[in-house]
Amino acid sequence: NKLSHIDQRGEAHMVDVSAKPQTERVAVAEGKIIMQAETLDMVIAGNALKGDVLGAARLAGIMAAKRTHSLIPLCHPLPITKVTIEINPEHALPGFEVQATVKVTGQTGVEMEALTAVSVALLTIYDMVKAVERGMRIEGIRVLEKSGGRSGHYRAEK
Amino acid sequence: NKLSHIDQRGEAHMVDVSAKPQTERVAVAEGKIIMQAETLDMVIAGNALKGDVLGAARLAGIMAAKRTHSLIPLCHPLPITKVTIEINPEHALPGFEVQATVKVTGQTGVEMEALTAVSVALLTIYDMVKAVERGMRIEGIRVLEKSGGRSGHYRAEK
Amino acid sequence: NKLSHIDQRGEAHMVDVSAKPQTERVAVAEGKIIMQAETLDMVIAGNALKGDVLGAARLAGIMAAKRTHSLIPLCHPLPITKVTIEINPEHALPGFEVQATVKVTGQTGVEMEALTAVSVALLTIYDMVKAVERGMRIEGIRVLEKSGGRSGHYRAEK
Amino acid sequence: NKLSHIDQRGEAHMVDVSAKPQTERVAVAEGKIIMQAETLDMVIAGNALKGDVLGAARLAGIMAAKRTHSLIPLCHPLPITKVTIEINPEHALPGFEVQATVKVTGQTGVEMEALTAVSVALLTIYDMVKAVERGMRIEGIRVLEKSGGRSGHYRAEK
Amino acid sequence: NKLSHIDQRGEAHMVDVSAKPQTERVAVAEGKIIMQAETLDMVIAGNALKGDVLGAARLAGIMAAKRTHSLIPLCHPLPITKVTIEINPEHALPGFEVQATVKVTGQTGVEMEALTAVSVALLTIYDMVKAVERGMRIEGIRVLEKSGGRSGHYRAEK
Amino acid sequence: NKLSHIDQRGEAHMVDVSAKPQTERVAVAEGKIIMQAETLDMVIAGNALKGDVLGAARLAGIMAAKRTHSLIPLCHPLPITKVTIEINPEHALPGFEVQATVKVTGQTGVEMEALTAVSVALLTIYDMVKAVERGMRIEGIRVLEKSGGRSGHYRAEK
């Protein structure tokens, strides 16, 4: 069985990483939220003023990254050393694109932290905009890049 | 400004729901995770045995629904009365489709709880399968149905 | 299948309690920790002075009762209205007996809250005394009494 | 003994509020952070641009209000229906004044929620500004107003 | 006073472990839940199908291990590197035996993490089976083995 | 911009500490709660007996220190190795003075952990005494001392 979290008995467990070296690891993830063009304009207009929708989404994503191991059952607790989240409007969607970068010096990677940060930032945008448009969709959450582990540097295809 | 969480000063706040009646509210959300056909087969095969990948994803989603208000900054804490999560393999994707139903008797809706449950269930599948395939993508997270609020019954278009 | 948390598909889910009436519910649980007579004497002596071992255990148990729904996957979040914990030395064990009482006005019972309070209070005693004796054992955690639900008043046999 | 959380045995416990009526309760609390005039100017200047220091403090305060019962050992969990936080620069201090308003329909008051929101908002300002000035002080955290309980309307003296 | 968490003033505090070396530490704990023979059979039968009662208990135990330091007041936060939980039916009890193994490279041991994992796994079984039998009892929670600390290898007597 | 948590875009982020060395860091913070002389006497009298008001405040402060990174949005999670809290009555205030000391071997300081411990200990005293006196005020929360970082040893002026 190649599913690392499933042991010989077929049972889920937290993988033993104690023998792996401490290395600097970085992961980048992205995701999008799709809305109508007028909704996007309204958020951009409001945000230009005070930054509160996207500011709240960024903060919620950063805080969620720190709680990844309490949300995802088999994730290891990790002393992450950096989280940044960038949110950019994309008129072509129309909607917002969220990208999160997480760093740690540790024995296992941080792609789950980056994916969790992206997901919660997107959910926060949904929450703050849903009174205006209920039909928004969250799309394309994936790992863009990952480095520092045994398996080398991973970069998603465009 | 129609963004309910942004006040006249342009600042984010938690909406006052104290004057709204207590009604029974239901929300249904869905989302998908896309993987290669062989990965899907491997998860289905392992799961037939003991159910641990999808069982873990369901449980993580249920637990996350209960923590929605601590993840999404402006969500109200709600005494939810039911959460169910269904995960089905879809060979056409190929991948899994996750659907969450949440109920509450309360003063505000539970679509954020349903969306959070779906998101965390999908992230948990990603986590448990990532050793086999790193390029999985999470797609199509959205509200399918919502009832019990002032704005009536909402049903997403197919 | 009579296991209420397992549905027709054999899958775990959070039971729908939305149709149940709001009633006042009380649950009482107990448990013990067994240690050597000298260890018991030492804790009693230290505690007579400032109360900190048993005081910490009581507080940890109360705080854990409030977090039951985030620890036990299928428990409902409940606005509990009372928690008390009594800890008494029992020279006959020798050790301590912990009893927790939890109250709520709600749609489901609080025996899990009472059992969780007892368990965490006992674990806290273990933690604070383990430098003196590692061989302590936690025994006899059970529900003593439960009232307010559809199934009537339950009282454990002596 | 008039300390409501201490019982006849002299032990801390969570007060039984199950017999109290559900009423609408509001609490307002305030607090200040004192800094040098140049530090205040720098935060105001940066904030005019994007709002991120004060926006982060507001959000952290709102999220902390929801977690009050998990921080303060004997607080009851409460389904709060509103939290707002206002932060204003005060050149006379110099520094910022934070005011939080919390509402609930429940059996006990929300002054601890309002005080916790104020405290965490102030700590967040400290955190984000500490690289510029380490000597900031948090002062004057108190309840300004409280209504809806048995003890009537309380208003602090100026 | 030999109670390590109680200082000279008789007050509880978190022990200073900063001068201890980082070593690999392992702890194993166990516990049991006693039920009637028919209840045991019913759980085994249901579990053979999908694994959801014991699967949920294992997951809840793993997640609780990661939260030990937030439940047990004086425990240190630790970046645990492995948690596994085994649950076996024992017809002689009748009931289930739970065993948890936790690993860390750190300055203090993980017996509290192992004991917490066992306790919460047992409480989860209780929760999911309580509709069938309310009189179940949790027994025999103890440390089986502990290694890697200053005090050498500890192994409980049979 | 000298605000370390605000990047070039004017957005809040978690500072990258991955390049900083692991050093032993200590922070000491203090704060006070002011009450009437009779209230102080009542708390001291009750506490002499069993220690539960101040014992609860100490414990709540220690537990809050461990949760600092989940309360303060941009704080790093840190494996703290020591927390002690001292609470002393001060008849001159009249009230209590709280002092917290936190230690870590890590890449960033622990002043936020010490300030959070002080704040939550003070809020806990307020909570337990508020039935007797609602007009208490929390004052003078500040960092007293900080060492181990790049910026050298900081000591607040008296």
Side-chain angles (χ1 to χ4, degrees), chain B residues 31-93:
Chain B
K32 312 177 219 307
I33 183 164
I34 317 290
M35 53 188 65
Q36 297 186 354
E38 309 87 78
T39 310
L40 177 60
D41 290 341
M42 179 181 300
V43 179
I44 292 173
N47 212 68
L49 201 59
K50 295 282 301 184
D52 271 32
V53 171
L54 305 187
R58 267 199 314 275
L59 230 62
I62 291 171
M63 294 177 88
K66 294 190 270 183
R67 261 196 267 167
T68 302
H69 66 272
S70 84
L71 287 170
I72 311 299
L74 304 174
C75 269
H76 294 82
L78 288 174
I80 53 183
T81 51
K82 173 191 163 173
V83 186
T84 51
I85 296 186
E86 245 187 70
I87 307 182
N88 289 303
E90 292 293 339
H91 290 280
L93 289 173

Side-chain angles (χ1 to χ4, degrees), chain E residues 21-69:
Chain E
Q22 297 251 359
T23 56
E24 189 179 291
R25 291 149 184 277
V26 183
V28 184
E30 70 164 9
K32 312 178 219 305
I33 184 163
I34 317 290
M35 52 188 65
Q36 297 187 355
E38 310 86 78
T39 311
L40 176 60
D41 290 341
M42 179 181 299
V43 179
I44 293 173
N47 214 69
L49 201 57
K50 294 283 301 183
D52 271 32
V53 172
L54 304 188
R58 264 198 317 272
L59 230 61
I62 291 171
M63 293 176 89
K66 294 190 269 184
R67 262 197 268 168
T68 301
H69 66 273

Side-chain angles (χ1 to χ4, degrees), chain B residues 9-19 69-77 79 107, chain D residues 24 58-59 62-63 66-67 69 78-88 103-105:
Chain B
R9 289 170 64 148
E11 294 173 0
H13 66 118
M14 195 196 278
V15 175
D16 185 353
V17 299
S18 60
H69 66 272
S70 84
L71 287 170
I72 311 299
L74 304 174
C75 269
H76 294 82
Q107 294 166 303
Chain D
E24 188 177 290
R58 267 198 315 274
L59 229 63
I62 290 171
M63 294 177 89
K66 294 189 270 184
R67 261 195 269 167
H69 66 272
L78 288 174
I80 54 183
T81 51
K82 173 191 163 173
V83 186
T84 52
I85 296 186
E86 244 187 69
I87 307 183
N88 289 303
K103 249 192 198 174
V104 77
T105 302

Side-chain angles (χ1 to χ4, degrees), chain E residues 107-148:
Chain E
Q107 293 166 303
T108 184
V110 281
E111 65 265 54
M112 292 317 301
E113 281 72 10
L115 289 165
T116 301
V118 164
S119 300
V120 171
L122 289 165
L123 289 168
T124 300
I125 296 177
Y126 187 98
D127 182 43
M128 295 181 76
V129 180
K130 70 181 191 292
V132 174
E133 178 185 346
R134 243 180 319 216
M136 289 174 290
R137 291 184 337 272
I138 292 172
E139 304 280 359
I141 299 177
R142 60 173 185 151
V143 174
L144 274 189
E145 207 178 324
K146 177 169 147 42
S147 66

